[in-house]
Amino acid sequence: MPMPVDRLVSSPRSPEHQALLRAGPRIRPLKQVHAHFIVSGSLRSLPLLTKLLTLACTAGSIAYTHRLFFSVPNPDSFLFNSLVKTSSFSGFPFDTVYFYHRMLQCRISPSSYTFTSVIKACAHLSTLRLGKRVHSHVLVCGYGSDPFVQAALITFYGKSGDLGVARKLFDKTPERTVVAWNSMISSYEQNGCSREAIGLFNLMRERGVQPDPTTFVSVLSACSQLGALGLGYWVHDYIIENELYVNVVLGTSLINMYARCGNVSKAQEVFDLMNERNVIAWTAIISAHGMHGYGNQAMKLFLQMKAEGPRPNNVTLVAVLSACAHSGLVQEGRKVYASMSQEYGLVPGVEHHVCLVDMLGRAGLLTEAYQFIKDLNYLEPAPAIWTAMLGACKMHKNFILGVEVAEHLLAVEPDNPGHYVMLSNIYALAGRMDRVEIVRKMMNQRRMKKQVGFSTIEVDHKTYLFSMGDKSHHETTEIYQYLDELMSRCSELGYVPAPNSVLHELEEEEREYALRYHSEKLAIAFGLLRTGHGSIIRIVKNLRMCEDCHLGIKYMSTVTKREIIVRDKLRFHHFKDGHCSCLDYW
Ligand code: ZN
Ligand code: ZN
């Protein structure tokens, strides 16, 4: 039988209230205060109960929160709103939706606060149907033009992948606050539409809206995806000029942007100036060095982190192991892997296993890598593990093992066109053209298409996108002419196209054409045409670079005396004077 509750208002200075404040969001002290309230009869005060409930929820004990809630006979709108808001904020989206429903059952009208929290919970749960129902309710209750509700709805539709509706809502927002702009920009960025995100950011600046740190976190992430270093520099300059406080989130975004746009020393500079460095920031800087092949530097930072930083987590160890793999630090990598469980009590997962197979494989220890996979005792190893093993077989030209591995890969993931391409390439390298034909037929039967590759380049703060054989650019004629000239100059120096690089489903003639006009070559030609001598060409490619492009770009760097940096799906390639930083292992 719940005890009667009256609406006695307890003053914030009352001893009961003070007791709650002292307990804070900690379960044990809260339960002690709760017991004391039962004895003294203080639970009759609804404000005190509300405070107790929100503290319990913030403390993370949702079961206790529910038990307390059931003991309240007449919950009021303030209690409901506090619960909806706190549960959403504390990461209990299901419970937010539950309290919202209870609120409606009790015939209490939701406020804009309620809606903002419930919509956030729906975004978290990715439940489009429920979110749409809440949206209708928003309109019925007349909160359609509330700026906070609108921003939450934009984020909700963005998170659900419905960018069209998100943008419509954004366009219809009468007074667009910075929150609304941020919601739309981050929706684009999170759906991989980085160009749209940057386009909208430019519009925001034109309209005179002042960006805030949240805006920059999204914009920097979009810059990272596109390799838009120029805009990244601009954002950093803006932050410095306007003396914005660089918190750990913004600082980490800057590190990631510089690293992924190919400027590791700037990433290090940002890290050195950060006042506060959490495990994410440390992981970002270690990974920055690792992805550029500076394994020793990554190891040095890892040791420094162990000495003075926070405790490394699973992600940190992926970064360290991947750095070891990319730099051939086999002994160090083995030690780090062993230390995971011994020193940190962490259980290695698929990502760590992939790094280890990659590391052993790259170093030519194929038998050991294969044994390592077998010893993992997986019922069925993850495709990523086989892919790493296959890459190693290809690199060290062990085609017999390669074919075996590729067949495993196909058995695990029969619907991934990438695996068929890998298998067909390895058969071709092994000279088994009959098998190449079979794979080609299998692909046709399954109506599979190769993933479309594209490359981006930033010139004068604008990002240009090229796909294979792209003729949509208005300077197409000049680009193709220049590329043809360039390739013939490369041929004079000894460049011969690598024919195995294109899937063998293409006809002979088409194959050579496709090779010559791969997206990265077009983007580089455009960059060389449009930028001054001495400046570095930076390209981002969405897929792994093919062997022919890798070879061709080495020659291009010699012929043009320009430094070319390509970020492909896996790593960075710094091309200079006919050599690549990956030492042809990628
Ligand atoms: Zn290529
Ligand atoms: Zn390379």
Side-chain angles (χ1 to χ4, degrees), residues 360-432:
L360 296 170
R362 276 169 197 279
L365 305 165
L366 292 180
T367 324
E368 194 185 336
Y370 201 39
Q371 192 57 44
F372 175 77
I373 298 179
K374 284 186 188 159
D375 290 346
L376 286 173
N377 277 330
Y378 275 116
L379 207 55
E380 197 56 83
I385 294 180
W386 287 127
T387 310
M389 187 68 215
L390 186 57
C393 294
K394 220 178 135 194
M395 187 189 291
H396 295 286
K397 304 198 168 24
N398 187 336
F399 304 124
I400 298 167
L401 188 55
V403 167
E404 195 183 318
V405 172
E407 282 168 357
H408 272 298
L409 191 56
L410 221 55
V412 190
E413 230 182 23
D415 294 323
N416 187 330
H419 301 339
Y420 289 84
V421 176
M422 284 257 234
L423 182 62
S424 125
N425 285 345
I426 207 139
Y427 275 137
L429 288 167
R432 299 291 306 270

Coordinates of all heavy atoms in Angstrom, one line a residue, residues 360-432:
L360 N 51.8 -10.5 -38.7 CA 52.6 -11.7 -39.0 C 52.7 -11.9 -40.5 O 53.8 -12.1 -41.1 CB 52.0 -12.9 -38.4 CG 52.0 -12.9 -36.8 CD1 51.2 -14.0 -36.3 CD2 53.4 -13.0 -36.3
G361 N 51.6 -11.7 -41.2 CA 51.5 -11.9 -42.6 C 52.4 -10.9 -43.4 O 53.1 -11.3 -44.3
R362 N 52.3 -9.6 -43.0 CA 53.2 -8.7 -43.7 C 54.6 -9.0 -43.6 O 55.4 -8.8 -44.5 CB 53.0 -7.3 -43.1 CG 51.8 -6.5 -43.7 CD 51.5 -5.3 -42.9 NE 50.2 -4.8 -43.2 CZ 49.9 -4.1 -44.2 NH1 50.9 -3.7 -45.1 NH2 48.7 -3.7 -44.5
A363 N 55.0 -9.5 -42.4 CA 56.4 -9.8 -42.1 C 56.8 -11.1 -42.8 O 57.9 -11.6 -42.7 CB 56.6 -9.9 -40.6
G364 N 55.9 -11.7 -43.5 CA 56.2 -12.9 -44.3 C 56.1 -14.2 -43.5 O 56.4 -15.3 -43.9
L365 N 55.6 -14.1 -42.2 CA 55.4 -15.3 -41.4 C 54.0 -15.9 -41.6 O 53.2 -16.0 -40.8 CB 55.6 -14.9 -39.9 CG 56.9 -14.1 -39.6 CD1 56.8 -13.5 -38.2 CD2 58.0 -15.1 -39.6
L366 N 53.9 -16.4 -42.9 CA 52.5 -16.8 -43.3 C 52.1 -18.1 -42.5 O 50.9 -18.2 -42.1 CB 52.5 -17.1 -44.8 CG 52.7 -15.9 -45.7 CD1 52.7 -16.4 -47.2 CD2 51.6 -14.9 -45.5
T367 N 53.0 -19.0 -42.3 CA 52.6 -20.2 -41.6 C 52.2 -19.9 -40.2 O 51.2 -20.4 -39.7 CB 53.8 -21.2 -41.6 OG1 54.5 -21.1 -42.8 CG2 53.3 -22.6 -41.4
E368 N 53.0 -19.0 -39.6 CA 52.6 -18.7 -38.2 C 51.3 -18.0 -38.1 O 50.5 -18.2 -37.2 CB 53.7 -17.8 -37.6 CG 53.6 -17.6 -36.1 CD 54.6 -16.6 -35.5 OE1 55.7 -16.4 -36.2 OE2 54.3 -16.1 -34.4
A369 N 51.0 -17.1 -39.1 CA 49.8 -16.4 -39.1 C 48.6 -17.3 -39.3 O 47.6 -17.2 -38.6 CB 49.8 -15.3 -40.3
Y370 N 48.8 -18.3 -40.2 CA 47.7 -19.3 -40.5 C 47.4 -20.1 -39.2 O 46.3 -20.4 -38.9 CB 48.1 -20.2 -41.7 CG 46.9 -20.8 -42.3 CD1 45.7 -20.1 -42.5 CD2 47.0 -22.1 -42.8 CE1 44.6 -20.7 -43.1 CE2 45.9 -22.7 -43.5 CZ 44.8 -22.0 -43.6 OH 43.7 -22.6 -44.2
Q371 N 48.6 -20.5 -38.6 CA 48.4 -21.3 -37.3 C 47.7 -20.5 -36.2 O 46.9 -21.0 -35.5 CB 49.8 -21.8 -36.8 CG 49.8 -22.8 -35.7 CD 49.0 -24.1 -36.2 OE1 49.2 -24.6 -37.3 NE2 48.2 -24.6 -35.3
F372 N 48.0 -19.2 -36.2 CA 47.4 -18.3 -35.2 C 45.9 -18.3 -35.4 O 45.1 -18.4 -34.4 CB 48.0 -16.9 -35.4 CG 47.3 -15.9 -34.5 CD1 47.6 -15.8 -33.1 CD2 46.4 -15.0 -35.0 CE1 47.0 -14.8 -32.3 CE2 45.8 -14.0 -34.2 CZ 46.1 -14.0 -32.9
I373 N 45.4 -18.2 -36.7 CA 44.0 -18.2 -37.0 C 43.4 -19.5 -36.5 O 42.3 -19.6 -35.8 CB 43.7 -18.1 -38.5 CG1 44.3 -16.7 -39.0 CG2 42.2 -18.2 -38.8 CD1 44.1 -16.5 -40.4
K374 N 44.1 -20.7 -36.8 CA 43.5 -22.0 -36.4 C 43.4 -22.1 -34.9 O 42.5 -22.6 -34.3 CB 44.4 -23.1 -36.9 CG 44.2 -23.3 -38.4 CD 45.0 -24.5 -38.8 CE 45.0 -24.7 -40.3 NZ 46.1 -25.5 -40.8
D375 N 44.5 -21.5 -34.2 CA 44.5 -21.6 -32.7 C 43.5 -20.8 -32.0 O 43.2 -20.9 -30.8 CB 45.9 -21.2 -32.2 CG 47.0 -22.3 -32.6 OD1 46.6 -23.4 -33.0 OD2 48.2 -22.0 -32.5
L376 N 42.9 -19.8 -32.8 CA 41.9 -19.0 -32.2 C 40.6 -19.8 -31.8 O 39.8 -19.3 -31.0 CB 41.5 -17.8 -33.1 CG 42.6 -16.7 -33.2 CD1 42.2 -15.7 -34.3 CD2 42.8 -16.0 -31.9
N377 N 40.5 -20.9 -32.5 CA 39.4 -21.8 -32.2 C 38.0 -21.1 -32.5 O 37.1 -21.4 -31.7 CB 39.4 -22.3 -30.8 CG 40.3 -23.5 -30.7 OD1 40.5 -24.3 -31.7 ND2 41.0 -23.7 -29.6
Y378 N 38.0 -20.3 -33.4 CA 36.7 -19.7 -33.8 C 35.9 -20.8 -34.5 O 36.4 -21.7 -35.2 CB 36.9 -18.6 -34.9 CG 37.2 -17.3 -34.3 CD1 38.4 -16.7 -34.6 CD2 36.3 -16.5 -33.6 CE1 38.7 -15.4 -34.1 CE2 36.6 -15.3 -33.1 CZ 37.8 -14.7 -33.4 OH 38.1 -13.5 -32.9
L379 N 34.6 -20.8 -34.3 CA 33.7 -21.7 -35.0 C 33.9 -21.4 -36.5 O 34.1 -22.2 -37.4 CB 32.3 -21.5 -34.6 CG 31.3 -22.7 -34.7 CD1 31.9 -23.9 -34.0 CD2 29.9 -22.3 -34.2
E380 N 33.9 -20.1 -36.8 CA 34.1 -19.6 -38.2 C 34.8 -18.3 -38.0 O 34.2 -17.3 -37.6 CB 32.8 -19.5 -38.9 CG 32.8 -19.4 -40.4 CD 33.6 -20.5 -41.0 OE1 33.0 -21.6 -41.3 OE2 34.8 -20.3 -41.3
P381 N 36.1 -18.1 -38.4 CA 36.8 -16.9 -38.2 C 36.0 -15.7 -39.0 O 35.5 -16.0 -40.1 CB 38.2 -17.1 -38.8 CG 38.3 -18.6 -38.7 CD 37.0 -19.2 -38.9
A382 N 36.1 -14.5 -38.5 CA 35.4 -13.4 -39.1 C 36.1 -13.1 -40.5 O 37.3 -13.3 -40.7 CB 35.5 -12.2 -38.2
P383 N 35.3 -12.6 -41.5 CA 35.8 -12.3 -42.8 C 37.0 -11.4 -42.7 O 38.0 -11.6 -43.5 CB 34.7 -11.6 -43.5 CG 33.4 -12.0 -42.8 CD 33.8 -12.3 -41.4
A384 N 37.1 -10.4 -41.8 CA 38.2 -9.5 -41.7 C 39.5 -10.3 -41.5 O 40.6 -9.9 -41.9 CB 38.0 -8.5 -40.6
I385 N 39.4 -11.3 -40.7 CA 40.6 -12.1 -40.4 C 41.2 -12.8 -41.7 O 42.3 -12.7 -42.0 CB 40.4 -13.2 -39.3 CG1 40.0 -12.4 -38.0 CG2 41.5 -14.1 -39.1 CD1 39.7 -13.3 -36.8
W386 N 40.2 -13.4 -42.4 CA 40.6 -14.1 -43.7 C 41.1 -13.0 -44.7 O 42.1 -13.3 -45.4 CB 39.4 -14.8 -44.3 CG 39.1 -16.1 -43.6 CD1 37.8 -16.4 -43.1 CD2 39.9 -17.2 -43.3 NE1 37.8 -17.7 -42.5 CE2 39.1 -18.2 -42.6 CE3 41.3 -17.5 -43.4 CZ2 39.6 -19.4 -42.1 CZ3 41.8 -18.7 -43.0 CH2 41.0 -19.6 -42.3
T387 N 40.5 -11.8 -44.7 CA 40.9 -10.8 -45.6 C 42.4 -10.4 -45.4 O 43.2 -10.3 -46.3 CB 40.0 -9.6 -45.5 OG1 38.7 -10.0 -45.6 CG2 40.3 -8.6 -46.6
A388 N 42.7 -10.3 -44.1 CA 44.1 -9.9 -43.7 C 45.1 -11.0 -44.2 O 46.1 -10.7 -44.7 CB 44.2 -9.7 -42.2
M389 N 44.7 -12.2 -43.9 CA 45.5 -13.4 -44.3 C 45.7 -13.4 -45.9 O 46.8 -13.7 -46.4 CB 44.8 -14.7 -43.8 CG 45.6 -15.9 -44.0 SD 47.0 -16.0 -42.9 CE 48.2 -16.8 -44.0
L390 N 44.6 -13.2 -46.6 CA 44.6 -13.2 -48.0 C 45.6 -12.1 -48.6 O 46.3 -12.3 -49.5 CB 43.2 -13.0 -48.6 CG 43.1 -13.1 -50.1 CD1 43.5 -14.5 -50.5 CD2 41.6 -12.9 -50.5
G391 N 45.5 -10.9 -47.9 CA 46.4 -9.8 -48.3 C 47.8 -10.2 -48.2 O 48.7 -10.0 -49.1
A392 N 48.1 -10.9 -47.1 CA 49.5 -11.4 -46.9 C 49.9 -12.4 -47.9 O 51.1 -12.4 -48.4 CB 49.6 -12.0 -45.5
C393 N 49.0 -13.3 -48.3 CA 49.3 -14.4 -49.3 C 49.6 -13.7 -50.6 O 50.6 -14.1 -51.3 CB 48.2 -15.3 -49.5 SG 47.8 -16.3 -48.1
K394 N 48.9 -12.6 -50.9 CA 49.0 -11.9 -52.2 C 50.4 -11.2 -52.2 O 51.1 -11.3 -53.2 CB 47.9 -10.9 -52.3 CG 47.4 -10.9 -53.8 CD 46.2 -9.9 -53.8 CE 46.4 -9.1 -55.1 NZ 45.6 -7.9 -55.1
M395 N 50.7 -10.5 -51.1 CA 51.9 -9.8 -51.0 C 53.1 -10.7 -51.1 O 54.1 -10.3 -51.8 CB 51.9 -9.1 -49.6 CG 53.0 -8.2 -49.3 SD 53.0 -7.7 -47.6 CE 51.5 -6.8 -47.5
H396 N 53.1 -11.8 -50.5 CA 54.2 -12.7 -50.6 C 54.1 -13.8 -51.6 O 54.8 -14.8 -51.6 CB 54.5 -13.3 -49.2 CG 54.9 -12.3 -48.2 ND1 56.1 -11.7 -48.2 CD2 54.2 -11.7 -47.2 CE1 56.1 -10.8 -47.2 NE2 55.0 -10.8 -46.6
K397 N 53.1 -13.6 -52.5 CA 52.9 -14.5 -53.7 C 52.8 -15.9 -53.4 O 53.3 -16.8 -54.1 CB 54.1 -14.2 -54.7 CG 54.2 -12.7 -55.1 CD 54.9 -12.5 -56.4 CE 54.9 -11.2 -57.0 NZ 54.5 -10.0 -56.2
N398 N 52.2 -16.2 -52.2 CA 51.9 -17.6 -51.9 C 50.4 -17.9 -52.4 O 49.5 -17.8 -51.7 CB 52.0 -17.9 -50.4 CG 51.9 -19.3 -50.1 OD1 51.3 -20.1 -50.8 ND2 52.4 -19.7 -48.9
F399 N 50.4 -18.3 -53.7 CA 49.0 -18.5 -54.3 C 48.3 -19.7 -53.8 O 47.1 -19.7 -53.8 CB 49.2 -18.4 -55.8 CG 49.8 -17.1 -56.2 CD1 51.0 -17.1 -57.0 CD2 49.4 -15.9 -55.8 CE1 51.6 -16.0 -57.4 CE2 50.0 -14.7 -56.1 CZ 51.1 -14.7 -56.9
I400 N 49.0 -20.8 -53.5 CA 48.3 -22.0 -53.1 C 47.6 -21.7 -51.8 O 46.4 -22.0 -51.7 CB 49.4 -23.1 -52.9 CG1 50.0 -23.4 -54.2 CG2 48.7 -24.4 -52.4 CD1 51.3 -24.3 -54.2
L401 N 48.3 -21.1 -50.8 CA 47.6 -20.8 -49.6 C 46.5 -19.7 -49.8 O 45.4 -19.7 -49.2 CB 48.6 -20.3 -48.6 CG 48.1 -20.1 -47.1 CD1 47.5 -21.3 -46.6 CD2 49.3 -19.6 -46.2
G402 N 46.9 -18.8 -50.7 CA 45.9 -17.7 -51.0 C 44.6 -18.2 -51.5 O 43.5 -17.7 -51.1
V403 N 44.6 -19.2 -52.4 CA 43.4 -19.7 -53.0 C 42.6 -20.4 -51.8 O 41.4 -20.2 -51.7 CB 43.7 -20.7 -54.1 CG1 42.5 -21.5 -54.5 CG2 44.2 -20.0 -55.3
E404 N 43.3 -21.1 -51.0 CA 42.6 -21.8 -49.8 C 41.9 -20.8 -49.0 O 40.7 -20.9 -48.6 CB 43.7 -22.6 -49.0 CG 43.1 -23.6 -48.1 CD 44.2 -24.2 -47.3 OE1 45.3 -24.6 -47.8 OE2 44.0 -24.4 -46.0
V405 N 42.6 -19.7 -48.7 CA 42.1 -18.6 -47.8 C 40.9 -18.0 -48.5 O 39.9 -17.7 -47.8 CB 43.2 -17.6 -47.4 CG1 42.6 -16.4 -46.7 CG2 44.3 -18.3 -46.6
A406 N 41.1 -17.7 -49.8 CA 40.0 -17.0 -50.5 C 38.7 -17.8 -50.5 O 37.6 -17.3 -50.4 CB 40.4 -16.6 -51.9
E407 N 38.9 -19.1 -50.6 CA 37.7 -20.0 -50.6 C 37.0 -20.0 -49.2 O 35.8 -20.0 -49.2 CB 38.1 -21.4 -51.1 CG 38.2 -21.4 -52.6 CD 38.9 -22.7 -53.2 OE1 39.3 -23.5 -52.4 OE2 39.0 -22.7 -54.4
H408 N 37.8 -19.9 -48.2 CA 37.2 -19.8 -46.8 C 36.4 -18.5 -46.7 O 35.3 -18.5 -46.3 CB 38.4 -19.6 -45.8 CG 38.9 -20.9 -45.2 ND1 38.1 -21.8 -44.5 CD2 40.1 -21.5 -45.3 CE1 38.8 -22.9 -44.2 NE2 40.0 -22.7 -44.6
L409 N 37.0 -17.5 -47.3 CA 36.4 -16.1 -47.2 C 35.0 -16.2 -47.9 O 34.0 -15.6 -47.4 CB 37.3 -15.2 -47.9 CG 37.0 -13.7 -47.7 CD1 36.9 -13.3 -46.2 CD2 38.1 -12.9 -48.3
L410 N 35.0 -16.8 -49.1 CA 33.8 -16.9 -49.9 C 32.7 -17.7 -49.1 O 31.5 -17.4 -49.2 CB 34.1 -17.5 -51.2 CG 33.5 -16.9 -52.4 CD1 33.8 -15.4 -52.5 CD2 34.0 -17.6 -53.7
A411 N 33.2 -18.7 -48.4 CA 32.2 -19.6 -47.7 C 31.6 -18.8 -46.5 O 30.4 -19.0 -46.2 CB 32.9 -20.8 -47.2
V412 N 32.4 -17.9 -45.9 CA 31.8 -17.2 -44.8 C 30.9 -16.0 -45.2 O 29.9 -15.8 -44.6 CB 33.0 -16.5 -43.9 CG1 32.5 -16.0 -42.6 CG2 34.1 -17.5 -43.7
E413 N 31.3 -15.4 -46.3 CA 30.5 -14.2 -46.7 C 30.2 -14.3 -48.2 O 30.9 -13.6 -49.0 CB 31.3 -12.9 -46.4 CG 30.5 -12.0 -45.7 CD 31.2 -10.7 -45.4 OE1 32.2 -10.4 -46.1 OE2 30.8 -10.0 -44.5
P414 N 29.3 -15.2 -48.7 CA 29.1 -15.4 -50.1 C 28.5 -14.2 -50.9 O 28.5 -14.2 -52.1 CB 28.2 -16.6 -50.1 CG 27.5 -16.6 -48.8 CD 28.4 -16.0 -47.8
D415 N 28.0 -13.2 -50.1 CA 27.4 -12.1 -50.9 C 28.2 -10.8 -51.0 O 27.7 -9.8 -51.4 CB 26.1 -11.7 -50.1 CG 25.1 -12.9 -50.2 OD1 25.1 -13.5 -51.3 OD2 24.4 -13.1 -49.2
N416 N 29.5 -10.9 -50.7 CA 30.3 -9.7 -50.8 C 31.1 -9.8 -52.1 O 32.0 -10.6 -52.3 CB 31.3 -9.7 -49.6 CG 32.1 -8.4 -49.5 OD1 32.4 -7.8 -50.5 ND2 32.4 -8.0 -48.3
P417 N 30.8 -8.8 -53.0 CA 31.5 -8.9 -54.3 C 33.0 -8.7 -54.2 O 33.7 -9.2 -55.0 CB 30.8 -7.7 -55.1 CG 30.1 -6.9 -54.1 CD 29.8 -7.8 -52.9
G418 N 33.4 -8.0 -53.2 CA 34.9 -7.7 -53.0 C 35.6 -9.0 -52.9 O 36.8 -9.1 -53.4
H419 N 35.1 -10.1 -52.2 CA 35.8 -11.3 -52.1 C 35.9 -12.0 -53.4 O 36.9 -12.7 -53.6 CB 35.0 -12.2 -51.1 CG 34.8 -11.6 -49.7 ND1 35.6 -10.6 -49.3 CD2 34.0 -11.9 -48.7 CE1 35.2 -10.3 -48.1 NE2 34.2 -11.0 -47.7
Y420 N 34.9 -11.9 -54.3 CA 35.0 -12.6 -55.6 C 36.1 -11.9 -56.4 O 36.9 -12.6 -57.1 CB 33.7 -12.5 -56.3 CG 32.6 -13.3 -55.8 CD1 31.9 -12.9 -54.7 CD2 32.3 -14.6 -56.3 CE1 30.9 -13.7 -54.1 CE2 31.3 -15.4 -55.7 CZ 30.6 -14.9 -54.7 OH 29.6 -15.7 -54.1
V421 N 36.2 -10.6 -56.3 CA 37.3 -9.9 -57.0 C 38.7 -10.4 -56.5 O 39.6 -10.7 -57.3 CB 37.1 -8.4 -56.8 CG1 38.3 -7.6 -57.5 CG2 35.8 -7.9 -57.4
M422 N 38.8 -10.5 -55.2 CA 40.1 -10.9 -54.5 C 40.4 -12.3 -55.0 O 41.5 -12.6 -55.4 CB 39.9 -11.0 -53.0 CG 39.9 -9.6 -52.4 SD 41.5 -9.4 -51.6 CE 41.2 -9.1 -50.0
L423 N 39.4 -13.2 -55.0 CA 39.6 -14.6 -55.4 C 40.0 -14.6 -56.9 O 41.0 -15.3 -57.3 CB 38.4 -15.4 -55.2 CG 38.5 -16.9 -55.5 CD1 39.5 -17.6 -54.6 CD2 37.1 -17.6 -55.3
S424 N 39.3 -13.9 -57.7 CA 39.6 -13.9 -59.1 C 41.0 -13.3 -59.4 O 41.8 -13.9 -60.2 CB 38.5 -13.1 -59.9 OG 39.0 -12.1 -60.6
N425 N 41.4 -12.3 -58.6 CA 42.7 -11.7 -58.8 C 43.8 -12.7 -58.4 O 44.8 -12.8 -59.1 CB 42.9 -10.5 -58.0 CG 42.2 -9.3 -58.6 OD1 41.8 -9.4 -59.8 ND2 42.0 -8.2 -57.8
I426 N 43.6 -13.5 -57.3 CA 44.6 -14.4 -56.9 C 44.7 -15.6 -57.8 O 45.8 -16.1 -58.1 CB 44.4 -14.8 -55.4 CG1 45.7 -15.2 -54.8 CG2 43.4 -15.9 -55.2 CD1 45.9 -14.7 -53.4
Y427 N 43.6 -16.0 -58.4 CA 43.6 -17.1 -59.4 C 44.4 -16.6 -60.6 O 45.2 -17.3 -61.2 CB 42.2 -17.5 -59.9 CG 41.5 -18.5 -59.0 CD1 40.2 -18.3 -58.6 CD2 42.2 -19.6 -58.6 CE1 39.6 -19.3 -57.8 CE2 41.6 -20.6 -57.8 CZ 40.3 -20.4 -57.4 OH 39.7 -21.3 -56.6
A428 N 44.2 -15.3 -61.0 CA 44.9 -14.8 -62.2 C 46.4 -14.7 -61.9 O 47.2 -15.1 -62.8 CB 44.3 -13.4 -62.5
L429 N 46.8 -14.3 -60.7 CA 48.2 -14.2 -60.4 C 48.8 -15.6 -60.3 O 50.0 -15.8 -60.7 CB 48.4 -13.5 -59.0 CG 48.1 -12.0 -59.0 CD1 48.0 -11.5 -57.5 CD2 49.2 -11.3 -59.7
A430 N 48.0 -16.6 -60.0 CA 48.5 -18.0 -59.9 C 48.5 -18.6 -61.3 O 48.8 -19.8 -61.5 CB 47.7 -18.8 -58.9
G431 N 48.0 -17.9 -62.3 CA 47.9 -18.4 -63.7 C 46.8 -19.3 -63.9 O 46.7 -20.0 -64.9
R432 N 45.8 -19.4 -63.0 CA 44.7 -20.3 -63.1 C 43.5 -19.6 -63.8 O 42.5 -19.3 -63.2 CB 44.2 -20.9 -61.8 CG 45.3 -21.7 -61.0 CD 45.6 -23.0 -61.7 NE 44.4 -23.8 -61.9 CZ 43.9 -24.7 -61.1 NH1 44.5 -24.9 -59.9 NH2 42.8 -25.3 -61.3

